[in-house]
């Protein structure tokens, strides 16, 4: 018996949609990718402002499964450690772990291009650009688009896969079709991308193989290296602070106060020019459940779980989603009616966990983390990891360098926190005890005996009562 090939519409040709198309193509489905924007491979290159992302183990594993890991790594820059910048201009590196534990700085656009081309290399994949989804029917599998001429076009498929980002149209349609819980939260911080260009000698202006971090509580800045020897900096701060920095003088005063070492690297004029011509962008955290409707629709990537970027895991989580769906389709022999609910049920806890972890980091980093505290906490984490390599894996290590399910990372961390609290408690008792002994010794050396001390306190006591 020859069955008809399943026909799948992937909505969104961003990072997750393009990768998902590669996964689904391997199953020999007929795959149509619909992307609202024009083909980024044709759009003009904007030099000097490449936007990059941190790719870690989960994302890399997914790329490996579709045979693209090497090609992507070739155009990436490894970051073996964070480099913590103090207000005084000091720089302190802290390793991520062993030699093979590093995250990769990759160019978002180049990655998207590689993924789209790889998807299209499959004869069973077709990409349609300038096609915006406006309607989905999860009973019939009909999808309606508006194309570049503003005309409505339709298609009828066996499965609609929503990979259309945080403001997903597919998700909106699912909310009309099923009992979908939905939760969205904007944070008071915005972000702005700035740049550190290559030096006049065309060299990197800072140590290249690092994730550069300027922790300043409420204000945070990071920088990731690019292949063209520039760094893309991301400045995170509350919208009202962005709004209060109105003039070039305000801006320079602010930078001299908080990020003085970055001024000569960015160049005063470039900094002013970019800041004055940019708007801070919002960050949103979105959780929903379930991720599917019957056997006809499923959402993945940011469409299912947008998160604040304080863990560098959004894309990685979306890529791991693709692995999980692939495994469920294997397990249930491409039976969508079984694979979709199983996917939704299995993955929900982990996607919710990474959204929580990202939000937790946001709260944690601005609550108390200046550069000294950042260094101390990471050093303590690394120290404990060296002493107890199997029982103390730092949370960041679990999240970035393993495929431990996100919800298990949280559980393990809770357990570690309990141990840490005990260690600190015992440490405190020992410290207090030894302090008391020292005090008595010092007093003894000065001719004060414990007995006379005792008499002294007894007299005091009696004087009062
Ligand atoms: P998107 O990349 O948003 O792609 C969605 C696609 O769908 C787009 O191409 C869009 O045009 C298209 N689309 C939308 N609506 C429609 C429609 N109606 N019809 C058809 N097509 C449509 N993640 C990391 O892993 N590491 C990092 O270091 C990192 N840094 C980040 C820094 C910042 C400042 C931010 C904001 C995010 C960061 N992320 C990072 C998260 C990462 O950018 C996202 O998780 C990732 O882009 C999600 O991919 P996606 O394909 O699901 O969504
Ligand atoms: C105390 C100290 C508590 C993204 C440090 C928590 C995130 C958090 C945004 C880094 C690295 C990739 C990132 C670390 C912590 C990307 C990341 C981290 C940022 C900001 C980021 C780390 C893009 C949290 N990974 N990370 O340990 O190096 O620690 F600083 Cl603002």
């Amino acid at each position: 018996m020859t069955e008809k090939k399943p026909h799948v519409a992937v909505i969104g040709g961003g990072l997750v949609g393009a990768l998902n198309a590669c996964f689904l193509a391997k199953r020999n489905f007929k795959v149509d990718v619909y992307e609202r924007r024009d083909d980024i491979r044709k759009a003009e290159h904007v030099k000097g402002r490449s936007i990059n992302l941190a790719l870690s183990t989960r994302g890399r594993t997914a790329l490996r499964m579709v045979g693209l890991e090497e090609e992507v790594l070739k155009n990436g820059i490894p970051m073996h450690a964070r480099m913590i910048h103090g207000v005084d201009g000091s720089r302190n590196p802290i390793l991520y772990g062993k030699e093979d534990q590093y995250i990769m700085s990759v160019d978002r656009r180049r990655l998207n291009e590689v993924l789209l081309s790889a998807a299209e290399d499959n004869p069973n994949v077709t990409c349609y650009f300038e096609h915006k989804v406006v309607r989905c029917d999860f009973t019939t599998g009909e999808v309606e688009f508006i194309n570049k001429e503003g005309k409505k076009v339709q298609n009828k498929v066996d499965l609609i896969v929503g990979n259309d980002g945080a403001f997903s149209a597919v998700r909106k349609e699912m909310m009309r079709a099923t009992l979908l819980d939905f939760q969205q939260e904007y944070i008071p911080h915005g972000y702005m991308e700035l740049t550190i260009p290559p030096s006049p000698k065309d060299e990197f202006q800072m140590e290249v193989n690092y994730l550069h971090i300027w922790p300043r509580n409420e204000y945070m800045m990071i920088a990731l290296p690019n292949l063209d020897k520039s760094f893309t900096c991301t400045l995170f701060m509350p919208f009202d602070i962005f709004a209060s920095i109105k003039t070039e003088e305000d801006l320079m005063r602010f930078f001299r106060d908080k990020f003085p070492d970055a001024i000569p690297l960015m160049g005063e004029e470039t900094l002013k020019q970019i800041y004055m011509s940019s708007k801070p962008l919002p960050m949103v955290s979105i959780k929903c459940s379930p991720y599917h409707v019957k056997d006809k629709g499923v959402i993945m990537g940011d469409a299912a779980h947008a998160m604040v970027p304080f863990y560098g895991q959004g894309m990685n989580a979306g890529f791991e989603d693709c692995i999980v769906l692939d495994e469920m389709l294997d397990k249930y022999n491409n039976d969508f009616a079984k694979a979709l609910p199983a996917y939704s049920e299995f993955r929900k806890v982990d996607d919710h966990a990474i959204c929580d972890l990202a939000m937790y980091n946001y709260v944690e980093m601005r609550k108390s983390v200046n550069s000294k505290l950042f260094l101390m906490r990471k050093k303590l984490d690394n120290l404990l990891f060296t002493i107890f390599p199997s029982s103390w894996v730092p949370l960041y290590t679990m999240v970035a360098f393993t495929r431990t399910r996100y919800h298990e990372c949280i559980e393990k961390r809770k357990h570690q926190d309990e141990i840490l609290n005990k260690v600190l408690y015992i440490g405190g008792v020992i410290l207090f005890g030894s302090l008391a002994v020292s005090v008595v010794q010092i007093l003894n050396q000065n001719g004060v005996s414990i007995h006379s001390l005792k008499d002294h306190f007894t007299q005091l006591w009696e004087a009062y009562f």
Side-chain angles (χ1 to χ4, degrees):
M1 196 180 82
T2 55
E3 265 185 59
K4 199 179 134 280
K5 270 203 269 189
H7 185 179
V8 180
V10 172
I11 312 304
L15 298 176
V16 175
L19 175 71
N20 219 359
C22 296
F23 269 98
L24 296 166
K26 287 212 310 176
R27 314 193 76 82
N28 205 25
F29 295 171
K30 176 172 159 51
V31 182
D32 291 328
V33 180
Y34 292 95
E35 166 57 46
R36 182 174 59 183
R37 293 170 305 175
D38 196 2
D39 189 343
I40 46 157
R41 291 166 297 181
K42 288 195 227 146
E44 239 172 80
H45 185 68
V46 197
K47 210 184 158 250
R49 293 214 55 196
S50 48
I51 308 303
N52 46 31
L53 301 138
L55 173 70
S56 49
T57 296
R58 296 169 204 269
R60 279 178 63 169
T61 309
L63 291 168
R64 189 178 316 139
M65 292 173 78
V66 295
L68 291 173
E69 188 186 19
E70 246 174 76
E71 184 171 357
V72 171
L73 290 200
K74 192 174 74 191
N75 294 315
I77 301 173
M79 300 180 285
H80 294 277
R82 355 33 193 169
M83 184 67 88
I84 308 305
H85 293 242
V87 193
D88 57 0
S90 61
R91 291 182 196 180
N92 283 288
I94 305 181
L95 279 174
Y96 276 119
K98 299 178 208 81
E99 214 165 298
D100 61 340
Q101 289 182 319
Y102 54 86
I103 51 179
M104 272 277 171
S105 172
V106 295
D107 184 297
R108 175 192 289 274
R109 178 171 168 173
R110 193 196 287 263
L111 176 59
N112 207 160
E113 289 176 353
V114 166
L115 289 168
L116 280 173
S117 295
E120 274 189 334
D121 279 345
N122 298 284
N124 49 333
V125 175
T126 317
C127 295
Y128 300 90
F129 294 95
E130 296 178 277
H131 274 67
K132 179 182 156 192
V133 167
V134 287
R135 276 275 176 276
C136 302
D137 185 323
F138 298 102
T139 305
T140 62
E142 283 168 317
V143 200
E144 193 175 289
F145 308 92
I146 308 251
N147 68 10
K148 106 169 136 191
E149 286 86 37
K151 285 212 185 84
K152 278 188 182 169
V153 286
Q154 286 189 338
N155 198 349
K156 188 172 182 302
V157 295
D158 301 308
L159 175 62
I160 304 164
V161 179
N163 293 158
D164 49 347
F167 303 101
S168 172
V170 177
R171 186 184 65 226
K172 282 195 196 96
E173 291 297 286
M174 278 176 53
M175 290 174 83
R176 290 152 37 100
T178 193
L179 308 179
L180 194 129
D181 291 324
F182 174 80
Q183 183 190 324
Q184 154 173 330
E185 184 185 353
Y186 281 98
I187 56 171
H189 274 59
Y191 73 94
M192 186 184 279
E193 274 153 340
L194 303 166
T195 181
I196 294 179
S199 74
K201 284 189 192 151
D202 201 33
E203 280 161 1
F204 281 105
Q205 290 204 64
M206 302 187 292
E207 301 80 355
V208 51
N209 294 110
Y210 296 86
L211 168 56
H212 290 265
I213 307 183
W214 288 257
R216 305 281 184 274
N217 302 335
E218 216 42 30
Y219 318 97
M220 293 169 267
M221 190 165 72
I222 60 171
L224 276 71
N226 296 309
L227 280 181
D228 69 359
K229 296 176 179 169
S230 66
F231 287 87
T232 301
C233 304
T234 311
L235 171 62
F236 299 94
M237 58 182 192
F239 278 109
D240 51 7
I241 306 284
F242 272 114
S244 73
I245 301 174
K246 293 193 187 73
T247 65
E248 295 189 343
E249 289 69 43
D250 295 340
L251 176 67
M252 294 322 296
R253 204 176 310 122
F254 173 76
F255 259 77
R256 276 195 294 270
D257 186 32
K258 300 285 179 207
F259 309 106
D261 64 329
I263 300 173
L265 302 174
M266 293 175 169
E268 203 168 314
E269 290 314 307
T270 327
L271 170 60
K272 287 176 183 166
Q273 189 252 315
I274 298 178
Y275 184 92
M276 293 302 160
S277 60
S278 315
K279 274 205 181 84
L281 299 169
M283 287 169 279
V284 70
S285 181
I286 293 173
K287 283 195 224 168
C288 66
S289 165
Y291 296 147
H292 76 291
V293 183
K294 295 180 277 197
D295 61 340
K296 285 281 186 303
V298 65
I299 45 173
M300 299 158 73
D302 277 17
H305 49 76
M307 65 196 73
V308 293
F310 299 97
Y311 235 112
Q313 281 292 311
M315 164 191 63
N316 287 286
F319 281 10
E320 199 175 49
D321 288 347
C322 298
I323 303 180
V324 174
L325 181 66
D326 192 58
E327 286 169 354
M328 289 302 175
L329 288 170
D330 267 348
K331 187 170 172 188
Y332 295 102
N333 226 339
N334 294 340
D335 182 348
F336 299 149
K338 293 203 177 102
L340 302 189
Y343 167 80
S344 198
E345 189 57 31
F346 182 89
R347 191 57 179 164
K348 182 177 76 183
V349 282
D350 295 314
D351 284 336
H352 287 196
I354 190 60
C355 284
D356 290 343
L357 279 170
M359 189 60 85
Y360 178 76
N361 247 6
Y362 165 63
V363 175
E364 194 73 346
M365 287 177 83
R366 90 206 132 102
K367 197 168 55 186
S368 61
V369 177
N370 53 32
S371 60
K372 284 203 182 73
L373 253 160
F374 192 107
L375 283 166
M376 261 170 53
R377 294 182 59 160
K378 294 298 171 183
K379 276 182 185 162
L380 179 65
D381 241 357
N382 279 355
L383 178 75
L384 289 166
F385 190 27
T386 323
I387 306 173
F388 313 106
S390 57
S391 57
W392 190 282
V393 184
L395 184 58
Y396 189 83
T397 306
M398 270 191 278
V399 169
F401 303 122
T402 77
R403 285 204 52 220
T404 308
R405 292 184 63 183
Y406 286 128
H407 86 275
E408 285 172 10
C409 295
I410 294 188
E411 282 167 10
K412 289 193 176 160
R413 181 53 187 223
K414 277 198 191 124
H415 178 65
Q416 287 178 1
D417 279 344
E418 279 161 20
I419 298 177
L420 185 66
N421 280 339
K422 274 186 200 141
V423 169
L424 287 177
Y425 178 76
I426 294 166
V429 169
I430 293 173
L431 198 74
F432 185 81
S434 51
L435 225 101
V437 168
S438 308
V439 167
V440 169
Q441 277 174 350
I442 289 168
L443 289 175
N444 266 337
Q445 277 163 16
N446 293 310
V448 188
S449 77
I450 304 180
H451 297 290
S452 68
L453 258 182
K454 195 183 152 205
D455 292 345
H456 180 73
F457 280 116
T458 316
Q459 278 165 22
L460 264 177
W461 182 267
E462 280 163 358
Y464 277 102
F465 301 98

